[in-house]
């Protein structure tokens, strides 16, 4: 279903990154990774992933700022972004959407729910 589709996972926690990369790869996705928001913007521009999974609490440039900057860039503005965060309040979800995220997933990740969100946001 997801064969050949490349997504960008932005996660600064190495263990979380490895675990999520393994599960996403088993689901058929091709996963590239970045460890901070600045690196994420650079990789979005150079790699043009089909979708981005963006941790919001990142070093260098946080996920909120990276999403806002991506939405201002004509080459990045249409790439779907799903926020990944431990902040589970309704206000946090609204903040992520206001920053430019297309959807929101809380940690710990409910993997089947995340996959449904990915499938919904990927171009047909």
């Amino acid at each position: 279903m997801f064969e050949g589709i490349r997504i960008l996972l932005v996660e600064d926690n190495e263990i979380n990154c490895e675990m999520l990369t393994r599960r996403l790869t088993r689901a058929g996705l091709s996963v590239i990774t970045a460890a901070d928001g600045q690196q994420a913007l650079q990789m979005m521009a150079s790699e043009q992933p089909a979708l981005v999974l963006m941790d919001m609490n990142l070093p260098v440039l946080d996920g909120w700022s990276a999403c806002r900057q991506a939405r201002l860039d004509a080459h990045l503005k249409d790439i779907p972004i799903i926020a990944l965060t431990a902040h589970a309040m309704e206000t946090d979800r609204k903040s992520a959407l206001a920053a430019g995220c297309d959807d929101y997933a809380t940690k710990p990740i409910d993997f089947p729910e995340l996959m449904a969100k990915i499938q919904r946001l990927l171009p047909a």
Side-chain angles (χ1 to χ4, degrees):
M1 172 182 282
F2 296 115
E3 289 305 316
I5 295 173
R6 184 175 49 207
I7 66 169
L8 172 61
L9 171 61
V10 188
E11 172 63 69
D12 64 322
N13 180 297
E14 202 172 307
I15 293 168
N16 289 348
C17 187
E18 288 176 14
M19 182 274 303
L20 206 45
T21 297
R22 263 195 315 275
R23 294 194 72 185
L24 293 163
T25 301
R26 276 198 300 256
L29 291 160
S30 173
V31 181
I32 54 176
T33 61
D36 64 61
Q38 188 62 50
Q39 192 178 52
L41 289 171
Q42 292 166 349
M43 291 187 76
M44 286 173 75
S46 65
E47 302 293 327
Q48 290 291 304
L51 181 137
V52 177
L53 298 175
M54 178 84 70
D55 182 20
M56 301 312 277
N57 295 316
L58 296 166
V60 184
L61 182 68
D62 64 45
W64 316 101
S65 300
C67 287
R68 281 189 211 94
Q69 287 186 31
R71 294 307 179 225
L72 295 173
D73 185 316
H75 296 86
L76 308 180
K77 68 180 179 64
D78 295 325
I79 298 173
I81 300 172
I82 299 175
L84 303 179
T85 180
H87 301 285
M89 304 298 292
E90 179 62 19
T91 55
D92 297 313
R93 187 184 74 77
K94 287 179 181 175
S95 294
L97 298 176
C101 294
D102 297 282
D103 210 332
Y104 175 88
T106 57
K107 294 178 181 180
I109 300 296
D110 176 328
F111 196 72
E113 182 181 299
L114 178 63
M115 292 308 296
K117 290 177 182 195
I118 289 171
Q119 185 171 1
R120 184 178 59 77
L121 287 171
L122 284 174

